Amino acid sequence: MRKFLLFFFISFSVFSQSEYPQDYFRSPLDINIVLAGTFAELRSNHFHSGLDIKTKRVEGLKVYGIADGYVSRIKIAHFGYGKALYVTHPNGYTSVYAHLQKFNPEIENYIKGKQYDKESFEIEIFPTAEELKITKGDVIAYSGNTGSSSGPHLHFEIRDNAERPINPMLFGLDVKDTTKPIISNVYAYPIGANSHINGSNKKQNLRVIPQKNGDYKIEELKAFGTIGFAIATLDKQDLAANKNGVYNISTYYNGNQNLEIDFKRFSFAETKHLNRLIDYSHFKENKERLQKLFIEENNPLSIYNNIIDNGYIKIDDTTSSVYKAKITDFKGNETNLDIAIKGENKLPNDSKEEIITQHYIQHDLEAELEAEKFKVNFYKDTFYDSFFIDFSVNNDTLTLHKPTIPLRKSFTISYDISNYKEEDLKQLYIARLIGWNNWPSYASTKRKENVLSTYTKDLGTYVLARDTIAPTIKAVNFKNGSWLSKYRYLKVKIDDKGTGISNYRATVNGKWILMEYNYKNKTLTHDFNDAVVTETKNKLKVIVTDNVGNSTTFETTFFRK
């Protein structure tokens, strides 16, 4: 620990130890920390708010309270964090442990009691400071793979008293890392009609030349006017092959710093604005996240420091300039990118193509688009920029631009169904077409009188669809009339091919039983150790309903001593 603190002080002296206590928290696991995901890593529509710690590809590792405190929140959900535990500490910080398999016996009994009271697997509870106290080093839970987790790991966070997530490594959590960040792509952007790069007014993909020392350079550019750059970069630790996010990006123009992107802390209110940091249209079209090294208008992110001219640079004719980007991981491993720029003013040989349509969206004003049965309502500041939008309706299909424009907030799509028969209305819903085969994906649909509506944050193609197929229910580890005396678990598989599962309810002899839903294997599981099934002959009844109200009832009998 002392060696780590010395290294930390030398490499990151800008952060005082008093600001981030170094000896207060212990590790949440008793294994070497190897990361699958780093703090503030770029994810879909958000920054990663913690560390994803590998658990050797297994579940059930002991998870420890990192300091004294109390359980201040427990949330169990089918998706997201799955089973998550929040511990508030006396120094004002809160630690978060997610994708858990289960809690320790005291917490497990506490939350199961609440689940049975509410008759719901999904639950969120805020215990008082006196109910579930934690001592540093207590086993508070066991690692798992619940929620929207793609494999066994522990998602771990530290938040300040304003609920802002902070990089846990700032508190002394050590990860072996001697590997420099990698740059895989660099782009240059002419800003405005009079700017050009290598004779073009369009975004340019630059050839990246790796150097023997791990740095990179770009062939000399010929440019004029205001320009900006974007990079695709990632980091790796020594003990894992995962492609992780970097810690800091700083840019310099002719030796003077003109922008810093610092990933040490952010707020949940701003995490959705990640799409203003990246080149969103490039990501949607190429599945590559370019981080823009300049700040466009209406960018509310707080991760920027040392800002000069919003990161843009201005190239004059007959000048020679040097642009540099320095990419750093948390351990101070540094990668440099050097770009030599020659100022050359001549007319570009092309220009950006602007597609003009009948409908123009002013980003700071409300807008309503309507055709046939569809109506679309955009609220003020739905978008970051103003633009011409592609809007058309053909029968029950709405084309609403390509999904290449980032949104700040959701908007409403509504459809008038007054010409449909009443018996058909229950099974209608609004769907977004996705994938190469235009699969209709259910968009959460509400009905008010003769209008269906959905609140969405995705542009694209929408249709009015119908789901007439009810969910399926199938016993997994028993048959009708089976004796289950030696079984601990009762398992049932449920599925829905249309709009997806909305809710389920299971009873034994008319009494509600807790069944944990794992959407990954489509299984409901009841633990007989809950001790609510006490009779010999038991009638199981499971009701599953999809998102448009189609319902299936499964009934069977089993025996248990």
Side-chain angles (χ1 to χ4, degrees), residues 167-326:
N167 191 335
M169 294 177 70
L170 286 166
F171 298 85
L173 194 66
D174 195 13
V175 176
K176 186 176 182 180
D177 184 2
T178 60
T179 306
K180 298 174 66 169
I182 297 168
I183 298 174
S184 58
N185 234 334
V186 179
Y187 279 78
Y189 296 69
I191 308 301
N194 296 323
S195 299
H196 52 84
I197 298 169
N198 291 336
S200 174
N201 187 241
K202 297 179 180 179
K203 179 177 75 173
Q204 297 293 301
N205 185 199
L206 308 179
R207 189 166 78 91
V208 180
I209 306 172
Q211 304 298 291
K212 291 183 179 180
N213 65 353
D215 290 337
Y216 301 83
K217 71 175 185 178
I218 302 295
E219 291 181 335
E220 183 182 67
L221 296 183
K222 295 180 179 179
F224 179 80
T226 301
I227 67 174
F229 293 94
I231 62 172
T233 182
L234 57 90
D235 187 44
K236 291 185 177 182
Q237 284 80 46
D238 290 6
L239 302 178
N242 299 76
K243 299 176 181 180
N244 300 133
V246 300
Y247 181 72
N248 185 282
I249 303 174
S250 294
T251 66
Y252 304 83
Y253 183 49
N254 291 333
N256 298 313
Q257 186 170 21
N258 73 332
L259 186 69
E260 179 188 17
I261 307 175
D262 186 357
F263 294 108
K264 73 174 181 179
R265 183 180 68 189
F266 61 86
S267 71
F268 285 109
E270 65 180 316
T271 189
K272 61 185 178 182
H273 298 297
L274 170 140
N275 291 331
R276 200 55 168 167
L277 166 68
I278 67 171
D279 184 332
Y280 186 77
S281 62
H282 182 91
F283 169 68
K284 297 300 286 187
E285 293 170 349
N286 300 283
K287 305 305 178 185
E288 178 184 51
R289 290 187 176 93
L290 295 175
Q291 299 183 61
K292 292 180 287 189
L293 306 181
F294 52 89
I295 306 172
E296 297 168 296
E297 292 183 356
N298 304 314
N299 182 337
L301 292 171
S302 65
I303 60 177
Y304 301 106
N305 297 310
N306 302 313
I307 305 167
I308 302 296
D309 295 329
N310 285 325
Y312 296 109
I313 61 174
K314 186 174 182 180
I315 309 299
D316 295 321
D317 193 18
T318 66
T319 59
S320 294
S321 320
V322 176
Y323 180 89
K324 180 177 179 177
K326 182 174 68 175

